[in-house]
Amino acid sequence: MNTTVADTAALPMATRRRLLIAAMSLFNQYGFAGTSLQMIADELGLTKAAIYYHFRTRDQLLMALMDPVQREIGSVVDAAEAQRGARARAEAMLAGYASVVARNRALTAVTTFDPSVRGVLRNHPLWNALIDRQLALLGATQQGTQATLYATMVLTGMAGAASTAPADLDDDALCRQLIDAGRRTLDLRGPTPKR
Amino acid sequence: MNTTVADTAALPMATRRRLLIAAMSLFNQYGFAGTSLQMIADELGLTKAAIYYHFRTRDQLLMALMDPVQREIGSVVDAAEAQRGARARAEAMLAGYASVVARNRALTAVTTFDPSVRGVLRNHPLWNALIDRQLALLGATQQGTQATLYATMVLTGMAGAASTAPADLDDDALCRQLIDAGRRTLDLRGPTPKR
């Protein structure tokens, strides 16, 4: 009996999960703007009504994909801001971001680079604030107007490298390489803080 | 008479140019996949037939936008490959790429990041070969499997930084900052080659 109840309860969740996975793959292939709910339904052999049961709009689906990553980035930013010193804050942000993008490569490509996704995210004040806080943390050890440029280079560069990394490069190895490259860009190498 | 002829001849070209500019702006806003020829026509107050006179498909329009940049990147790659030594090749590629993206910020965002654009470009062997040659040049001074990761980080990072740079940062200043950041990432600083 218990098993039957659990199975029945699990079914809608399994569909929701399959939906999100199919959507992410189509977003990566055709762009967010180029993917209709109908295409997602077709991909899974579902009716559009079955999709509507879970998500009323494509934007809702996108935000459901983004939600766990947004919360994770939020925790990384909070923890990094709690560090003492600009260098420790930049290091913490760098390591946390590298870990998130290494473990979420497909989603990273969609959220960082797709113009139509950026259009949706732009309307979410929390997401915009998070990006500004990430840039401030990563640029903390840099001087002047170049700080934001270096920080943007690290965020977009790490996202680009993660989302095109070979599938056989495991998450930990990728994460280490991203941190190494980011530390170079931000001039964070060496044991002694330079600034 | 000459003036009239010239004016008449210039008209279609002016429309073509306006078309390309409007298309690039819409691609940046809604993504390539999210922009229809109808939207471009509406933006300019033209009929769809007027668009068709210049471009039969959206892909054709994209390739017309890409064409000058592709040729410019091709020249940069050729010149970089002609340099002696891995470091000189990486430096030449870096400086050339920085200059191209600093002067083509809006197009850089579209061509580097839009998944639906990458879908179109993937079908162009020349463009794919150019990307591989850029990555090989930028990674030339790096050891082992990380070479491509560093090179990708530089290409996507510079594109991301250029496409979001403040409008009041002039092309030359942006170019210098991009080169500086790229040299850090690739460990090209200092007068003596390290490898």
Side-chain angles (χ1 to χ4, degrees), chain A residues 28 30-31 33-34 113-116 142 146 149-150 152-153 156-157 160 164 174 177 180-182 184-187 189, chain B residues 28 30-31 33-34 113-116 142 146 149-150 152-153 156-158 160 164 174 177 180-181 184-187 189:
Chain A
N28 256 312
Y30 303 106
F113 299 132
D114 189 330
S116 50
Q142 307 293 313
Q146 299 201 14
L149 184 129
Y150 281 104
T152 306
M153 173 130 171
T156 54
T164 57
L174 173 59
Q177 294 186 8
D180 188 39
R184 283 194 192 188
T185 309
L186 296 173
D187 211 8
R189 286 182 304 167
Chain B
N28 257 312
Y30 302 105
F113 299 133
D114 189 328
S116 50
Q142 307 293 313
Q146 299 201 14
L149 185 129
Y150 282 104
T152 306
M153 175 134 169
T156 54
M158 287 168 81
T164 57
L174 173 58
Q177 294 187 8
D180 188 38
R184 283 195 192 189
T185 309
L186 296 174
D187 210 8
R189 288 181 303 167

Side-chain angles (χ1 to χ4, degrees), chain B residues 64-190:
Chain B
L65 274 172
M66 294 287 307
D67 198 45
V69 171
Q70 180 170 313
R71 257 177 292 162
E72 214 179 326
I73 295 269
S75 303
V76 167
V77 168
D78 287 343
E81 286 173 346
Q83 297 293 314
R84 285 193 172 222
R87 188 177 163 137
R89 286 197 291 275
E91 293 271 15
M93 184 64 235
L94 187 66
Y97 182 76
S99 170
V100 172
V101 298
R103 286 178 289 105
N104 297 277
R105 304 182 196 187
L107 187 60
T108 296
V110 171
T111 56
T112 315
F113 299 133
D114 189 328
S116 50
V117 169
R118 282 188 282 118
V120 175
L121 296 179
R122 219 173 283 134
N123 295 321
H124 285 75
L126 181 62
W127 187 254
N128 284 323
L130 264 186
I131 290 175
D132 288 343
R133 288 165 73 193
Q134 291 176 74
L135 291 174
L137 285 161
L138 288 173
T141 64
Q142 307 293 313
Q143 307 286 343
T145 55
Q146 299 201 14
T148 308
L149 185 129
Y150 282 104
T152 306
M153 175 134 169
V154 167
L155 281 185
T156 54
M158 287 168 81
S163 58
T164 57
D168 64 0
L169 183 64
D170 70 60
D171 293 352
D172 286 346
L174 173 58
C175 183
R176 279 194 305 273
Q177 294 187 8
L178 291 173
I179 292 172
D180 188 38
R183 298 183 79 219
R184 283 195 192 189
T185 309
L186 296 174
D187 210 8
L188 294 173
R189 288 181 303 167

Side-chain angles (χ1 to χ4, degrees), chain A residues 14-26:
Chain A
T15 306
R16 189 177 191 275
R17 210 179 132 66
R18 280 171 61 218
L19 255 169
L20 289 172
I21 291 167
M24 189 154 70
S25 159
L26 290 168

Side-chain angles (χ1 to χ4, degrees), chain A residues 101-117:
Chain A
V101 298
R103 285 178 289 104
N104 297 277
R105 306 182 194 185
L107 188 60
T108 295
V110 171
T111 56
T112 315
F113 299 132
D114 189 330
S116 50
V117 169

